[in-house]
Amino acid sequence: MAKFYGIGTGPGDSSLLTLKAVETLGGLDILYTPEAEKDGGSLALSIVKPHLKEGLEIKYRHFPMSFNKDEKMIKWQAVAAEITEDVREGRNVGFITLGDPMLYSTYVYIMELLVQQIEVITIPGISSFSNIASSQNFPLVMDKEPLIIIPCTADEEIIDTALQTYNCMVLMKVYKNFEQIVKKIEKYGLIDYALLVSQSSLEGEKVYTDLRAIDLKEKISYFSTILINKNNNPSMR
Amino acid sequence: MAKFYGIGTGPGDSSLLTLKAVETLGGLDILYTPEAEKDGGSLALSIVKPHLKEGLEIKYRHFPMSFNKDEKMIKWQAVAAEITEDVREGRNVGFITLGDPMLYSTYVYIMELLVQQIEVITIPGISSFSNIASSQNFPLVMDKEPLIIIPCTADEEIIDTALQTYNCMVLMKVYKNFEQIVKKIEKYGLIDYALLVSQSSLEGEKVYTDLRAIDLKEKISYFSTILINKNNNPSMR
């Protein structure tokens, strides 16, 4: 019986795909892939490309990034209806999403619409923060400590509370209010324990082991993440 | 030049290894693997076994689980010295660790000892909570929300604060004070949004979509994790 597969592609490097993702990609009849707003290219597609079978049908679908939730929902519903039809006609359908599908991915909207209709198999992926931590030999968290992951689009109060409460943190989406975030990290005495990586595992990857050395007026990549671990021995770095 | 590789094996299913992990495993000359205290078996080894080259030397090393930090450190230092020697003699050495190496893994202790001596490459892995979320189609976190990951060996106050503050949570190591944890989840009105999985991707995997149905007096597996997402539409489940 045909199924729908939501596949996490990892952060960018094709070798970070799991064997399960690769095997699943190779058995698909149709692949849905998000088409980016501006350049029409798809990073997720470039990651999986080496593993697609010949003759696979690729359906590029445009998903608006607008803040209008109704507008987005209409689009998602249309794609979900199309996918349901494809699967009911006996085709194995895939949908690719960057990083891990269950962490901050719009894949969840399509999954929620499909899960009552057809069989949905979701395959996890390496998240960008996990790849940054490993590639920098930067321990995220150990023993009894909590780890908090915060998108910097969150309310300022939530960010402030976390910075004051926890020793181990992942700050995502730091590009929007980057200067303000770095100043907060400094204010709360965390700057010596912080690491910034842009474009992890992608072309143009940049690693900043000293946040003080960054020109805060410069525009920073959309794919930028800050890791903080107050228990890290700075001599390790 | 020979290197040291720390390799995340993911939660248990061999197909959740990354291509990078598989390729690295195939090029190793020596593999260090932790030998469990009680049964001498190694779950991490069983995960990677299909991908090891013939003639690979496997060094089983015993790591005490005692709470005596000095005792553990002496053991880690001895293994680190042995690994350093192997790498300096030109051998590519691997070390395997369950899940993701930078999340609550004792691998970090060996990494910290090696990183100043030899080249250390760490390869990320799928964490058990990420696999549980995907395999249950359970979104961990979306949009502007923080996600907090807490080992239930943490102080009670830390657990209580998190349960009262955040909508999206991963509770790890719930086996020790399981009854108390489930009662807290109920007390803070989160039980309808919680999911428990034991032995994720392993033999004997158990999924509990209703925590109220669990006999709290029963002993629960060491590999048990609770996911909570207050924004989850319960009708999805």
Side-chain angles (χ1 to χ4, degrees):
Chain A
M1 226 187 64
K3 288 174 191 167
F4 171 77
Y5 297 89
I7 302 159
T9 66
D13 174 351
S14 287
S15 76
L16 293 174
L17 283 164
T18 64
L19 297 178
K20 197 174 186 176
V22 170
E23 196 190 329
T24 303
L25 287 162
L28 295 178
D29 301 306
I30 302 173
L31 178 68
Y32 281 75
T33 182
E35 194 167 27
E37 185 103 323
K38 284 174 191 166
D39 55 16
S42 162
L43 174 56
L45 185 62
S46 72
I47 298 170
V48 301
K49 220 156 200 174
H51 305 289
L52 302 176
K53 75 174 175 199
E54 253 181 83
L56 172 84
E57 185 181 351
I58 299 180
K59 292 191 177 181
Y60 297 90
R61 290 297 174 267
H62 172 72
F63 300 107
M65 296 287 269
S66 77
F67 287 98
N68 183 333
K69 219 179 168 181
D70 293 341
E71 194 192 317
K72 278 195 279 193
M73 204 32 89
I74 290 168
K75 192 72 208 181
W76 287 111
Q77 279 166 341
V79 177
E82 215 183 333
I83 289 172
T84 302
E85 211 183 298
D86 286 338
V87 171
R88 286 188 176 153
E89 282 170 2
R91 256 86 65 87
N92 283 312
V93 174
F95 185 100
I96 45 176
T97 184
L98 280 177
D100 186 89
M102 295 295 108
L103 287 170
Y104 304 108
S105 168
T106 46
Y107 161 72
V108 164
Y109 298 125
I110 210 99
M111 182 192 82
E112 286 185 355
L113 293 169
L114 292 174
V115 84
Q116 303 282 7
Q117 311 289 326
I118 53 178
E119 191 168 352
V120 172
I121 308 282
T122 306
I123 297 168
I126 300 289
S127 57
S128 63
F129 68 82
S130 156
N131 187 51
I132 291 170
S134 276
S135 59
Q136 297 303 315
N137 292 322
F138 187 101
L140 283 167
V141 63
M142 293 294 286
D143 300 322
K144 298 199 264 176
E145 290 270 358
L147 173 71
I148 186 161
I149 302 165
I150 314 167
C152 290
T153 45
D155 293 345
E156 206 176 331
E157 202 191 312
I158 289 172
I159 299 171
D160 279 301
T161 303
L163 288 168
Q164 289 170 85
T165 310
Y166 298 105
N167 292 327
C168 303
M169 269 166 282
V170 174
L171 303 178
M172 300 178 74
K173 300 185 191 163
V174 298
Y175 65 95
K176 258 197 180 154
N177 42 1
F178 181 62
E179 184 175 358
Q180 188 198 11
I181 293 296
V182 175
K183 284 184 174 164
K184 279 186 197 299
I185 291 170
E186 176 124 51
K187 177 178 157 191
Y188 295 120
L190 298 165
I191 203 152
D192 286 330
Y193 310 101
L195 171 79
L196 165 69
V197 176
S198 292
Q199 308 274 119
S200 171
S201 97
L202 298 170
E203 235 185 85
E205 178 179 288
K206 277 186 192 168
V207 178
Y208 303 90
T209 53
D210 181 4
L211 268 62
R212 288 196 189 86
I214 302 172
D215 177 0
L216 299 180
K217 302 292 178 198
E218 237 175 77
K219 216 187 157 193
I220 195 144
S221 158
Y222 175 84
F223 294 107
S224 296
T225 301
I226 295 175
L227 308 182
I228 297 173
N229 186 344
K230 227 176 159 177
N231 307 307
N232 256 13
N233 182 343
S235 73
M236 268 185 57
R237 307 252 297 273
Chain B
M1 226 186 65
K3 290 174 191 169
F4 171 76
Y5 298 88
I7 302 159
T9 66
D13 174 353
S14 287
S15 76
L16 293 173
L17 284 164
T18 64
L19 297 178
K20 198 173 185 175
V22 170
E23 196 190 330
T24 304
L25 287 162
L28 296 178
D29 301 306
I30 302 173
L31 178 67
Y32 282 76
T33 182
E35 195 167 25
E37 185 103 324
K38 285 174 192 165
D39 55 16
S42 161
L43 174 55
L45 185 62
S46 73
I47 298 171
V48 302
K49 220 157 200 174
H51 305 288
L52 302 175
K53 75 173 175 199
E54 254 181 81
L56 171 85
E57 185 181 352
I58 298 179
K59 293 191 177 182
Y60 296 89
R61 290 297 174 269
H62 172 73
F63 300 107
M65 296 285 270
S66 76
F67 288 99
N68 183 333
K69 219 178 168 182
D70 292 341
E71 193 194 316
K72 279 196 278 192
M73 202 34 89
I74 289 168
K75 191 74 209 183
W76 286 112
Q77 279 165 341
V79 177
E82 215 183 333
I83 289 173
T84 303
E85 211 183 298
D86 285 337
V87 171
R88 287 189 175 149
E89 282 170 1
R91 255 85 65 89
N92 283 313
V93 174
F95 186 100
I96 45 177
T97 184
L98 279 178
D100 186 271
M102 296 294 109
L103 287 169
Y104 304 108
S105 168
T106 47
Y107 162 72
V108 164
Y109 299 125
I110 210 100
M111 181 191 83
E112 287 185 355
L113 293 168
L114 292 174
V115 85
Q116 303 281 6
Q117 311 289 326
I118 53 177
E119 190 168 353
V120 172
I121 309 281
T122 306
I123 297 169
I126 301 288
S127 57
S128 62
F129 68 81
S130 157
N131 187 52
I132 291 170
S134 276
S135 60
Q136 298 302 316
N137 293 322
F138 187 100
L140 283 167
V141 63
M142 294 293 288
D143 299 323
K144 298 198 266 177
E145 290 270 359
L147 173 73
I148 186 160
I149 303 163
I150 315 167
C152 290
T153 44
D155 293 345
E156 207 177 330
E157 202 191 311
I158 290 172
I159 299 172
D160 279 300
T161 303
L163 288 169
Q164 289 170 85
T165 310
Y166 299 105
N167 292 327
C168 304
M169 269 165 282
V170 174
L171 303 179
M172 301 178 73
K173 299 182 192 166
V174 297
Y175 65 96
K176 259 198 180 153
N177 41 1
F178 181 61
E179 183 174 359
Q180 188 197 10
I181 293 295
V182 175
K183 284 185 174 162
K184 280 186 196 297
I185 290 170
E186 176 125 51
K187 176 178 159 192
Y188 296 121
L190 298 166
I191 203 152
D192 286 329
Y193 311 101
L195 171 80
L196 165 69
V197 177
S198 291
Q199 308 273 119
S200 171
S201 97
L202 297 171
E203 234 183 85
E205 178 179 287
K206 277 188 192 165
V207 177
Y208 303 89
T209 53
D210 181 5
L211 268 61
R212 287 195 189 88
I214 302 171
D215 177 0
L216 299 180
K217 302 293 178 198
E218 238 174 76
K219 218 188 156 194
I220 195 145
S221 157
Y222 176 84
F223 293 108
S224 296
T225 301
I226 294 175
L227 309 183
I228 297 172
N229 186 344
K230 228 179 157 175
N231 307 309
N232 256 14
N233 183 343
S235 73
M236 268 185 57
R237 306 252 298 271

